[in-house]
Amino acid sequence: MIGGLFIYNHKGEVLISRVYRDDIGRNAVDAFRVNVIHARQQVRSPVTNIARTSFFHVKRSNIWLAAVTKQNVNAAMVFEFLYKMCDVMTAYFGKISEENIKNNFVLIYELLDEILDFGYPQNSETGALKTFITQQGIKSQPQTKEEQSQITSQVTGQIGWRREGIKYRRNELFLDVLESVNLLMSPQGQVLSAHVSGRVVMKSYLSGMPECKFGMNDKIVIDKQGKGGATDDSGKSSGKQSIAIDDCTFHQCVRLSKFDSERSISFIPPDGEYELMRYRTTKDIILPFRVIPLVREVGRTKLEVKVVIKSNFKPSLLAQKIEVRIPTPLNTSGVQVICMKGKAKYKASENAIVWKIKRMAGMKESQISAEIELLPTNDKKKWARPPISMNFEVPFAPSGLKVRYLKVFEPKLNYSDHDVIKWVRYIGRSGIYETRC
Amino acid sequence: MPAVSKGDGMRGLAVFISDIRNCKSKEAEIKRINKELANIRSKFKGDKALDGYSKKKYVCKLLFIFLLGHDIDFGHMEAVNLLSSNKYTEKQIGYLFISVLVNSNSELIRLINNGIKNDLASRNPTFMCLALHCIANVGSREMAEAFAGEIPRILVAGDTMDSVKQSAALCLLRLHKASPDVVLMGEWTSRVVHLLNDQHMGVVTAAISLITCLSQKNPDEFKSCVPLAVSRLSRIVSSASTDLQDYTYYFVPAPWLSCKLLRLLQCYPPPEDGAVKGRLVECLETILNKAQEPPKSKKVQHSNAKNAILFEAISLIIHYDSEPNLLVRACNQLGQFLQHRETNLRYLALESMCTLASSEFSHEAVKTHIETVINALKTERDVSVRQRAADLLYAMCDRSNAKQIVAEMLSYLETADYSIREEMVLKVAILAEKYAVDYSWYVDTILNLIRIAGDYVSEEVWYRVIQIVINRDDVQGYAAKTVFEALQAPACHENMVKVGGYILGEFGNLIAGDPRSSPLVQFNLLHSKFHLCSVPSRALLLSAYIKFINLFPETKPTIQEVLRSDSQIRNSDVELQQRAVEYLKLSSIASTDVLATVLEEMPPFPERESSILAKLKKKKGPGAVSVSDLEEAKGEGGALNGSGDRGADAAATSNSATLSPSADLLGLRSAAPVAPGTGSLLVDVFPEAGPASAPAVSEDGFLRHLDLPPESSDSLLVEAPGESDFEDPALPLPESDDLLYKFVCKNNGVLFENQLLQIGTKSEYRQNLGRMYLFFGNKTSVQFSNFTTSITCPGDLQTQLNMQTKPVEPLVDGGAQVQQVLNIECLSDFSDAPLLNIMFSRYGGAQQNLTLKLPVTINKFFQPTEMSSQDFFQRWKQLSLPQQEAQKIFKANHSMDTDVIKTKLLGLGPALLEDVDPNPENFVCAGVIQTKGQQIGCLLRLEPNAQAQMFRLTLRSSKDTVSVHLCHLLAEQF
């Protein structure tokens, strides 16, 4: 179990120190600073063992969050908690920065007391937390005893993430499918590894205690329905492909027993924004872009680079925020770049040529060529040729995931599934999208 | 680094450094550096030539980036270009970059060498110095090859500036250390030596470092430096404190130079020239005198400088080791330092004393400080000083103070730092062995050592104890006794168990006579430690058990039981399992004779260098006492282990084939253990039928190890207990009653033993008949003549017991054994014991006559009877007459361990009934005593009270005398 939690600024000064267990001494704070933050080499592992104490850290901009334990805990649990903790803090005071943390000392300690008890993670649902931990500055109405007891019963009750008696004039629902696609490709265009990790994020403004049911083109469900000859309410999935989901995790509101038995995702949603599920796929991924590199060494002092990118999706769709990063050798002394589209620049501080394109439609092609001058060195070792990486954003799900339905039932109140306004959006982003050159 | 002065400041560099310092994260720093590197690259690549200033600036930046820990792979060329600049600052940065960054195999080295050559050839002293510094800093072989010829020329040239000479001397020293074969002095030697006469003290100081280093390598070439050094030293020592101006340091004239001179002199033997020697002794005396003078300054630098010279002088005195007067004075001076406030001084004093202690002139003088040193060991706060104190104690130890020093070291060991414990243990072990006058002290010391610092006692130490105990017969009994006592502590160190197991296995018989350490008690004691031990120790203990079976046949069933248990015979460790299986078979198949041969006492170990000493040598760190002097003293130490003369013990040869004496003691660490019981041994012994393989020892069964040196036996004879009873053969020995009780619960064992004779017994009973074997062993090396034995049954016993025997042979050879068989028939119940009378005479000795009670008691004729709880209590009630019952309440003399009691009751004869008594703590037995005339039923109940350490024993039998007698007999057993 987590023995303590520390937050450091970039200099290694402790901003927040909360110790939950006696086995974590004060010197643990310094141990992490000395061995990780101020380490000679950059520490790349998120888990560090120092003197039989494990430190799990995540970094948010310049802020280090470190969970400390002496026991053999589930590392995934600790990181899940740390990410949740970041989410909670973001939900309370926005960006996690030194300034913001310093301004919210009391709040953070209050939160830490609530979401971690003797090292065991507790309810970290922002919506629920906000009912009883109110922000600094905003003076909450003095809560009546009734309200307090209501909060208590809700937080400790079976459905801890939603309170009763929520009312909206307009029942609205926003559904975002956010995916990040990761790729490693050989210079010849062979896919070495590719996977998509996606999230389904919902924002719900629904009255009462609605029961929701979420359907997507999950291969298992579709196959089952196909066999059983069940009716298809949308009627359009017959031609569509289904996708194979490798693994998925759900928000606590989803009834897992029902998922296990019927593979249907049904839940009572929390109010406001939350992440309904996370999933990962590795098969039949639509790669939005193809990068074709061409590198030619002209003698010892010159390098010619030509990179072509091809967009590989419906011409009607537009990709945005495209950025191609072409690494340059460490002995680069000068760069000339020519590109047809977008802007390209040699960034000496990052040892790379960065080529930015604002928008690009599907089934198009674009090209950049660069001449790199090199300084002859007495070092014999060859340039390692790091891969060319790419960033982009596309308005579809590269995994092929489609939302088939999201039904809302609220038997007590007077609105039906058809009265709810539903919005669905797909966003595909690049994760680590690299092509070797 | 050049100061960033106004005219010459490098603004760009300063800005860059401050940028880096302001970076908030590592990433930001790397970005800034990448940007700067790209900038410098483009600048260096640029077509227009850079001026000297920018070059210097960029090279400086590269140097800074390199020092931050980033790789730099360009800019070397620019740095080399800087060398040819005429500006000091540019040249300096160029040299700096090269000495930090250029590795010796760089291809630029030719260019660099060229630049250096130019500078050396220039007449500018600053440039020459810069070049020399660069050569020394790089110090590579290429540098040495290129400049080894050049530098000595500069060093000895008449017109070279003093500062350049200093640099040249030190640079040459560096090159000499890096590649001594390239730097050859040859023709320069005498001129270099004459630098000692140089006017400039700085040059002398630099030169003397070089000369010291060179003369260590070939002292003969530089021999001529001694008189020069002495005269220089005497000039410094005798000078007033103000004479040397710049070279006077806190009122001490040229302390560094003095120290170096003294150190140089330590490379050579005392000067032969009387005048020079006289002058030197005078100098040393002056230095010693000065130490006594009141300090000229309170400053710590003053005393430090003074003491530095003093300690060097003392080292020189010790090195010469020829001036008793000076040695004693040095020792006294150090004695003063021993109590000095300054920790460092105490440390140095102890360290120097260590070396002084090895000199014959000052050993006695050092010994006078023993109390102070012991005190230092106890009270010193600094561990390194305590370590030195321990070293010194070790060095000053000799026969006269060994006991005291060993005792002090032992007591210190309890609180000693963990880091030095092992060394301390080795030292104590060596001292104890080296100066042991009486071996019981040695055994005590080592056992104490194991008790106090068992974890740090290495294998070698306990091997050594055992080697010594085995090689010395006179300590074996004492060792067995001491070990036995030591093992009784509730928590023993494993090493103690090992020593205990080994010694008791070999010599347990020597203390078996005492009922408190009877064989079974010994065994139980050892076995109680068994489960706490590691595998090698367990293996050793198993070997000890099998030796027990040989020594004490009465322990055989118990030990076999142990060997047979699953935890042994099915042990997951293959070594233990093999031993258990083999020992079990050996003990059950082999006859006593074979067993005795196989499990014979270990032969004495061949004399060789103490393994501990070898270990200590391995452990030696710098500054510890040298071992060579110890080895000289080893002559006397060696005598002690070698002298164990085993007399006519031919048996040793029979065993040596299997028990390879050259293997480390038991050879525990080798794959195949040498202890008896390995396959090869069994193959050796069984097919050839024991006696054939070991003719000399085939007869003596468990009466081995009885030989006595002939010259001492006469005196022992006088005290032989048998002699006091000479006139009255019928009167049994006073202790024979005790002997009798010893055999109530067992049938085999050693009945009697003195210096001459050992009597073993072995008996078996069936119903009212019995047979007893008596073994008479001659422990001396001379023949017994007129050996006769007779059995008498006093008083009523004649009608109660029928005894028949054949006479034994009248001659018993030295070391041999005779056997006598007794047939016994029980006619009716009896309470006395038959008497055995032995008479014999020895060549040159008086007639021996002794009488013993034979261990024939009524309980031997018990027939066990199994019965249920109901039956038992029914019969118990039937025997309710008051005279039929005998009861005794008594204090426990022995352990109240359930198993021990059970074994005893089983040995007694009746059946031990389980689950009869409602109280599980109580023991209940039933049996029938068989006599020729009648059968006497007998019921027994023993109720232990662990809290009060008391027993209540109740006996009911159909005959009142039997109840009383049995009750009496049994009460002595618990």
Side-chain angles (χ1 to χ4, degrees):
Chain A
M1 294 308 105
I2 297 170
L5 201 131
F6 306 122
I7 300 180
Y8 301 85
N9 66 4
H10 71 277
K11 288 180 199 150
E13 290 162 349
V14 188
L15 304 177
I16 300 283
S17 156
R18 181 73 176 84
V19 174
Y20 292 94
R21 286 179 176 240
D22 291 341
D23 55 358
I24 302 301
R26 291 276 155 212
N27 50 359
V29 189
D30 301 324
F32 183 77
R33 178 187 24 247
V34 171
N35 289 295
V36 180
I37 301 181
H38 290 164
R40 225 160 234 286
Q41 276 84 34
Q42 211 176 343
V43 175
R44 302 183 69 180
S45 162
V47 184
T48 319
N49 255 304
I50 306 161
R52 295 194 182 169
T53 311
S54 307
F55 293 82
F56 305 80
H57 76 261
V58 297
K59 218 179 153 196
R60 284 283 177 273
S61 63
N62 271 334
I63 299 297
W64 300 74
L65 279 92
V68 192
T69 181
K70 280 219 160 177
Q71 279 152 318
N72 186 15
V73 296
N74 182 346
M77 184 275 282
V78 177
F79 282 110
E80 185 64 39
F81 171 78
L82 285 175
Y83 291 137
K84 264 277 148 57
M85 163 99 198
C86 293
D87 290 347
V88 170
M89 289 201 288
T90 319
Y92 266 94
F93 51 76
K95 194 169 168 276
I96 297 176
S97 64
E98 187 176 347
E99 181 85 6
N100 276 346
I101 287 176
K102 279 183 175 168
N103 289 337
N104 290 287
F105 271 142
V106 182
L107 173 70
I108 293 172
Y109 277 115
E110 220 174 321
L111 284 171
L112 283 175
D113 274 343
E114 198 53 49
I115 60 180
L116 210 55
D117 190 1
F118 193 48
Y120 294 95
Q122 307 293 314
N123 190 356
S124 55
E125 196 56 47
T126 318
L129 286 171
K130 275 191 173 166
T131 58
F132 55 91
I133 299 178
T134 47
Q135 255 171 302
Q136 176 205 43
I138 301 167
K139 224 178 195 168
S140 61
Q141 269 80 40
Q143 290 167 330
T144 61
K145 260 210 173 126
E146 218 169 282
E147 281 171 328
Q148 279 174 352
S149 72
Q150 203 184 344
I151 289 170
T152 312
S153 71
Q154 183 226 319
V155 168
T156 57
Q158 204 178 8
I159 303 168
W161 56 87
R162 188 178 183 95
R163 69 189 160 87
E164 299 214 24
I166 301 173
K167 278 232 167 65
Y168 287 101
R169 210 158 50 77
R170 247 152 67 111
N171 289 307
E172 241 178 333
L173 188 79
F174 299 87
L175 195 70
D176 287 352
V177 177
L178 307 173
E179 294 194 339
S180 80
V181 52
N182 299 283
L183 168 79
L184 182 64
M185 197 180 248
S186 76
Q188 288 75 34
Q190 196 183 358
V191 176
L192 300 174
S193 84
H195 74 268
V196 171
S197 58
R199 311 189 294 147
V200 177
V201 177
M202 261 177 96
K203 234 185 247 176
S204 66
Y205 303 104
L206 300 171
S207 314
M209 293 292 262
E211 173 83 33
C212 298
K213 208 171 166 191
F214 175 69
M216 56 182 181
N217 56 343
D218 179 3
K219 196 170 189 177
I220 298 172
V221 179
I222 301 281
D223 287 359
K224 206 159 55 177
Q225 284 175 349
K227 255 182 233 155
T231 54
D232 207 336
D233 53 347
S234 57
K236 57 180 177 177
S237 72
S238 49
K240 288 276 172 187
Q241 284 211 325
S242 54
I243 62 157
I245 287 177
D246 281 20
D247 51 52
C248 53
T249 53
F250 293 103
H251 188 266
Q252 56 165 335
C253 66
V254 175
R255 294 195 183 87
L256 290 177
S257 56
K258 228 165 187 180
F259 180 76
D260 287 340
S261 58
E262 303 164 28
R263 245 182 125 87
S264 74
I265 302 162
S266 72
F267 53 97
I268 296 171
D271 198 38
E273 190 175 346
Y274 61 96
E275 186 186 284
L276 180 65
M277 73 177 284
R278 253 186 251 176
Y279 59 91
R280 200 169 65 90
T281 70
T282 49
K283 282 204 191 81
D284 303 323
I285 292 165
I286 307 157
L287 296 174
F289 284 96
R290 174 87 207 276
V291 178
I292 305 156
L294 199 78
V295 179
R296 201 159 68 91
E297 283 178 45
V298 188
R300 278 191 66 194
T301 56
K302 209 170 168 190
L303 204 65
E304 283 180 7
V305 181
K306 204 169 113 182
V307 177
V308 181
I309 57 168
K310 283 183 181 167
S311 56
N312 182 28
F313 44 89
K314 269 193 271 177
S316 58
L317 298 175
L318 271 181
Q320 285 183 318
K321 298 177 190 168
I322 301 153
E323 185 187 290
V324 183
R325 178 175 293 263
I326 305 160
T328 56
L330 293 175
N331 55 347
T332 305
S333 58
V335 177
Q336 276 89 48
V337 206
I338 311 159
C339 59
M340 303 291 126
K341 225 179 154 195
K343 281 178 188 164
K345 203 180 166 192
Y346 168 58
K347 284 203 170 167
S349 60
E350 291 155 48
N351 281 324
I353 300 169
V354 180
W355 177 28
K356 284 182 178 166
I357 305 170
K358 275 197 183 133
R359 244 173 251 107
M360 188 168 177
M363 306 312 267
K364 288 262 170 59
E365 199 179 296
S366 192
Q367 180 186 326
I368 183 172
S369 57
E371 263 181 39
I372 301 170
E373 277 177 70
L374 303 176
L375 188 77
T377 62
N378 45 1
D379 231 4
K380 298 286 181 296
K381 69 177 175 232
K382 246 187 134 196
W383 182 42
R385 291 200 180 192
I388 296 172
S389 62
M390 204 179 162
N391 290 319
F392 53 79
E393 201 178 290
V394 289
F396 62 91
S399 68
L401 181 129
K402 287 272 184 294
V403 177
R404 285 171 58 219
Y405 56 83
L406 198 140
K407 293 175 201 159
V408 181
F409 309 99
E410 172 47 280
K412 284 186 196 151
L413 292 177
N414 253 345
Y415 69 96
S416 70
D417 186 32
H418 302 290
D419 302 331
V420 180
I421 307 160
K422 299 169 192 167
W423 306 88
V424 180
R425 177 164 69 157
Y426 298 94
I427 300 174
R429 292 201 179 96
S430 59
I432 297 167
Y433 200 87
E434 292 179 334
T435 308
R436 291 189 180 155
C437 59
Chain B
M1 290 291 287
V4 183
S5 60
K6 275 194 186 118
D8 205 31
M10 289 178 282
R11 216 179 107 74
L13 179 67
V15 169
F16 173 60
I17 292 174
S18 74
D19 272 3
I20 296 255
R21 297 238 161 101
N22 289 336
C23 280
K24 292 220 162 166
S25 66
K26 199 126 197 163
E27 291 77 38
E29 184 185 309
I30 289 169
K31 276 189 177 169
R32 180 71 184 88
I33 287 171
N34 279 338
K35 195 174 154 200
E36 192 61 43
L37 282 176
N39 175 37
I40 299 173
R41 279 197 299 261
S42 67
K43 283 286 184 333
F44 283 172
K45 176 82 181 178
D47 299 326
K48 58 178 184 198
L50 290 170
D51 57 2
Y53 167 78
S54 345
K55 250 186 215 165
K56 180 180 74 174
K57 184 176 73 183
Y58 292 130
V59 167
C60 252
K61 280 181 180 176
L62 286 177
L63 194 57
F64 183 75
I65 292 169
F66 177 78
L67 293 177
L68 279 178
H70 300 268
D71 275 343
I72 297 296
D73 51 9
F74 65 99
H76 302 76
M77 196 58 215
E78 283 70 19
V80 173
N81 287 343
L82 283 177
L83 294 189
S84 52
S85 161
N86 273 328
K87 275 193 182 155
Y88 171 77
T89 50
E90 288 169 21
K91 208 187 256 299
Q92 188 203 24
I93 295 293
Y95 275 123
L96 188 62
F97 186 90
I98 284 163
S99 21
V100 174
L101 259 142
V102 172
N103 39 7
S104 50
N105 53 5
S106 162
E107 53 201 27
L108 287 172
I109 210 86
R110 212 171 38 81
L111 285 171
I112 296 169
N113 284 356
N114 215 14
I116 293 175
K117 258 199 189 108
N118 287 339
D119 278 336
L120 286 182
S122 78
R123 308 306 300 164
N124 186 335
T126 1
F127 289 0
M128 287 174 86
C129 279
L130 274 177
L132 286 168
H133 292 172
C134 178
I135 296 170
N137 278 333
V138 176
S140 67
R141 197 168 173 84
E142 285 75 22
M143 286 284 180
E145 275 164 1
F147 302 106
E150 190 87 346
I151 298 170
R153 197 183 50 74
I154 298 171
L155 179 59
V156 295
D159 54 350
T160 317
M161 298 272 289
D162 287 336
S163 61
V164 179
K165 270 189 187 169
Q166 287 182 55
S167 294
L170 294 175
C171 177
L172 203 56
L173 175 63
R174 169 77 175 89
L175 291 184
H176 176 76
K177 281 180 178 164
S179 33
D181 51 322
V182 177
V183 183
L184 299 168
M185 292 312 286
E187 68 243 60
W188 310 113
T189 306
S190 65
R191 295 177 72 180
V192 169
V193 168
H194 275 92
L195 285 175
L196 288 179
N197 276 337
D198 201 283
Q199 293 292 315
H200 193 262
M201 293 287 265
V203 175
V204 183
T205 316
I208 200 162
S209 296
L210 177 65
I211 294 169
T212 310
C213 182
L214 291 170
S215 60
Q216 271 161 353
K217 210 162 151 247
N218 31 11
D220 287 341
E221 268 188 63
F222 288 88
K223 225 173 173 154
S224 52
C225 70
V226 174
L228 291 178
V230 171
S231 71
R232 187 95 219 184
L233 182 66
S234 90
R235 259 182 284 157
I236 296 171
V237 168
S238 56
S239 69
S241 56
T242 49
D243 282 2
L244 297 165
Q245 288 164 5
D246 281 355
Y247 288 86
T248 303
Y249 177 79
Y250 289 90
F251 307 105
V252 183
W256 281 276
L257 184 53
S258 314
C259 283
K260 284 181 172 179
L261 284 167
L262 287 164
R263 216 170 282 168
L264 174 63
L265 289 172
Q266 283 174 47
C267 301
Y268 291 97
E272 284 145 18
D273 185 349
V276 176
K277 189 172 183 183
R279 213 168 162 194
L280 180 56
V281 170
E282 203 177 295
C283 282
L284 292 172
E285 269 170 354
T286 321
I287 293 171
L288 286 173
N289 286 340
K290 273 190 182 168
Q292 297 294 340
E293 285 170 13
K296 290 197 181 94
S297 159
K298 283 236 159 57
K299 288 255 172 59
V300 66
Q301 289 94 333
H302 171 71
S303 59
N304 276 350
K306 222 166 81 172
N307 290 332
I309 299 173
L310 179 64
F311 275 108
E312 270 321 319
I314 289 174
S315 304
L316 185 62
I317 293 169
I318 295 169
H319 171 74
Y320 285 165
D321 198 12
S322 58
E323 303 284 333
N325 176 28
L326 285 176
L327 278 167
V328 172
R329 278 194 66 185
C331 184
N332 293 340
Q333 185 60 47
L334 290 177
Q336 286 180 11
F337 284 149
L338 279 185
Q339 280 152 329
H340 202 276
R341 211 158 35 81
E342 188 72 29
T343 314
N344 291 335
L345 272 183
R346 290 198 299 271
Y347 179 95
L348 289 169
L350 287 167
E351 199 185 21
S352 304
M353 272 217 179
C354 263
T355 33
L356 266 181
S358 54
S359 161
E360 54 176 319
F361 297 112
S362 51
H363 187 77
E364 286 306 315
V366 172
K367 269 167 68 182
T368 55
H369 299 291
I370 183 164
E371 292 303 331
T372 327
V373 179
I374 288 172
N375 204 30
L377 191 64
K378 284 179 183 159
T379 57
E380 189 58 60
R381 264 185 310 172
D382 192 306
V383 53
S384 54
V385 182
R386 286 200 299 270
Q387 159 103 57
R388 290 290 144 254
D391 282 346
L392 178 54
L393 273 185
Y394 179 68
M396 67 162 69
C397 188
D398 62 14
R399 220 169 264 289
S400 64
N401 53 15
K403 279 206 177 171
Q404 186 193 2
I405 285 178
V406 168
E408 288 298 343
M409 284 174 96
L410 265 181
S411 69
Y412 169 62
L413 201 53
E414 296 194 47
T415 52
D417 301 85
Y418 296 105
S419 51
I420 63 169
R421 278 198 184 180
E422 188 176 355
E423 202 184 319
M424 289 282 292
V425 165
L426 288 173
K427 283 181 173 162
V428 171
I430 290 173
L431 289 180
E433 185 188 328
K434 196 161 103 178
Y435 299 114
V437 189
D438 95 66
Y439 281 88
S440 47
W441 175 75
Y442 172 71
V443 171
D444 276 344
T445 306
I446 299 292
L447 291 183
N448 237 338
L449 193 65
I450 296 176
R451 188 177 56 73
I452 293 169
D455 281 337
Y456 301 92
V457 173
S458 55
E459 302 275 279
E460 285 82 359
V461 173
W462 75 263
Y463 285 177
R464 194 71 189 149
V465 195
I466 285 175
Q467 285 177 8
I468 287 175
V469 169
I470 288 195
N471 287 3
R472 307 280 309 186
D473 342 21
D474 47 345
V475 279
Q476 289 165 356
Y478 180 80
K481 186 163 153 284
T482 327
V483 167
F484 180 77
E485 277 159 11
L487 280 179
Q488 270 162 338
C492 282
H493 192 268
E494 194 170 334
N495 281 335
M496 182 69 93
V497 178
K498 286 181 186 168
V499 175
Y502 201 100
I503 289 185
L504 289 182
E506 293 289 336
F507 310 113
N509 57 323
L510 299 180
I511 55 166
D514 189 333
R516 281 167 303 171
S517 56
S518 72
L520 219 50
V521 175
Q522 286 183 31
F523 170 71
N524 285 332
L525 185 61
L526 277 182
H527 198 55
S528 65
K529 315 283 184 205
F530 187 86
H531 307 280
L532 307 170
C533 290
S534 63
V535 168
S537 318
R538 288 186 185 196
L540 188 149
L541 282 181
L542 285 182
S543 298
Y545 293 170
I546 187 74
K547 290 225 160 196
F548 265 51
I549 292 189
N550 176 40
L551 290 179
F552 319 110
E554 69 267 27
T555 58
K556 188 167 166 179
T558 323
I559 290 172
Q560 282 185 333
E561 196 55 45
V562 169
L563 291 176
R564 202 176 291 126
S565 67
D566 276 357
S567 59
Q568 309 301 351
I569 213 158
R570 294 197 185 151
N571 197 300
S572 59
D573 186 90
V574 77
E575 172 68 38
L576 290 183
Q577 195 186 55
Q578 187 179 3
R579 283 193 191 214
V581 171
E582 287 177 357
Y583 291 164
L584 185 59
K585 275 281 169 258
L586 181 71
S587 65
S588 46
I589 292 174
S591 71
T592 9
D593 299 338
V594 174
L595 213 54
T597 317
V598 174
L599 302 173
E600 193 172 7
E601 187 184 326
M602 292 296 279
F605 287 88
E607 195 39 50
R608 55 198 152 130
E609 191 201 359
S610 165
S611 47
I612 314 181
L613 213 55
K615 168 101 177 176
L616 185 65
K617 263 193 243 168
K618 240 191 292 172
K619 257 197 84 77
K620 275 296 160 191
V625 194
S626 82
V627 198
S628 56
D629 55 311
L630 273 175
E631 281 188 292
E632 287 161 29
K634 187 75 185 58
E636 48 181 339
L640 66 91
N641 336 320
S643 55
D645 179 16
R646 306 293 298 155
D649 196 349
T653 51
S654 78
N655 261 1
S656 57
T658 42
L659 300 176
S660 160
S662 60
D664 244 355
L665 210 61
L666 271 181
L668 278 181
R669 283 180 294 188
S670 65
V674 195
T678 52
S680 65
L681 181 66
L682 288 175
V683 171
D684 247 5
V685 173
F686 289 123
E688 290 179 49
S693 67
V697 285
S698 59
E699 281 309 302
D700 31 10
F702 48 83
L703 303 182
R704 289 257 356 111
H705 32 250
L706 313 175
D707 46 340
L708 207 65
E711 65 279 1
S712 62
S713 56
D714 262 29
S715 55
L716 285 166
L717 197 67
V718 180
E719 312 152 9
E723 201 161 56
S724 55
D725 302 327
F726 186 54
E727 59 286 307
D728 185 4
L731 203 68
L733 287 174
E735 69 265 46
S736 66
D737 257 331
D738 289 337
L739 293 174
L740 188 65
Y741 290 127
K742 214 172 86 179
F743 282 88
V744 168
C745 292
K746 62 180 185 180
N747 289 335
N748 307 329
V750 178
L751 182 62
F752 170 78
E753 184 169 20
N754 66 10
Q755 287 89 335
L756 306 173
L757 184 70
Q758 190 184 36
I759 305 174
T761 173
K762 209 175 165 185
S763 46
E764 44 200 23
Y765 297 91
R766 262 177 67 202
Q767 303 214 320
N768 65 330
L769 300 175
R771 178 174 290 166
M772 180 180 273
Y773 300 88
L774 290 172
F775 302 89
F776 302 97
N778 182 351
K779 281 172 81 171
T780 67
S781 52
V782 277
Q783 197 184 50
F784 291 163
S785 56
N786 298 332
F787 191 85
T788 53
T789 62
S790 62
I791 313 281
T792 49
C793 295
D796 284 346
L797 202 60
Q798 269 170 330
T799 61
Q800 294 161 337
L801 213 57
N802 187 4
M803 309 267 293
Q804 287 171 342
T805 180
K806 284 185 194 151
V808 288
E809 279 179 29
L811 293 179
V812 185
D813 282 337
Q817 188 187 66
V818 292
Q819 188 183 352
Q820 188 177 26
V821 185
L822 290 173
N823 286 319
I824 309 161
E825 190 187 20
C826 179
L827 302 171
S828 70
D829 66 297
F830 61 97
S831 49
D832 259 343
L835 296 177
L836 168 70
N837 177 251
I838 305 150
M839 297 212 281
F840 61 93
S841 51
R842 278 174 69 242
Y843 174 73
Q847 166 93 18
Q848 300 286 311
N849 183 349
L850 55 110
T851 304
L852 301 168
K853 281 188 177 176
L854 275 180
V856 180
T857 45
I858 184 72
N859 65 298
K860 300 290 182 196
F861 302 95
F862 250 124
Q863 284 289 106
T865 326
E866 291 290 348
M867 55 178 74
S868 68
S869 172
Q870 204 185 351
D871 285 353
F872 179 83
F873 283 109
Q874 197 183 346
R875 287 180 203 213
W876 184 262
K877 276 178 200 136
Q878 281 170 5
L879 300 169
S880 56
L881 290 175
Q883 66 267 30
Q884 285 175 329
E885 189 192 85
Q887 194 174 62
K888 219 169 189 179
I889 298 169
F890 56 94
K891 212 160 176 79
N893 291 326
H894 301 285
S895 111
M896 292 189 71
D897 184 8
T898 319
D899 288 333
V900 175
I901 294 170
K902 266 189 188 164
T903 331
K904 281 182 176 168
L905 286 174
L906 281 172
L908 183 71
L912 183 63
L913 303 176
E914 304 277 2
D915 306 320
V916 167
D917 201 283
N919 184 353
E921 298 293 323
N922 294 348
F923 299 93
V924 166
C925 300
V928 177
I929 292 174
Q930 305 267 0
T931 67
K932 199 184 178 193
Q934 62 180 138
Q935 297 188 341
I936 304 154
C938 207
L939 301 175
L940 180 152
R941 196 171 180 203
L942 182 69
E943 295 154 281
N945 181 345
Q947 279 171 344
Q949 291 285 306
M950 300 282 277
F951 283 105
R952 185 165 70 187
L953 176 69
T954 317
L955 266 155
R956 289 186 178 183
S957 73
S958 47
K959 198 153 184 183
D960 47 0
T961 49
V962 172
S963 300
V964 174
H965 181 56
L966 271 179
C967 192
H968 177 66
L969 276 179
L970 267 181
E972 298 295 325
Q973 297 298 318
F974 298 107

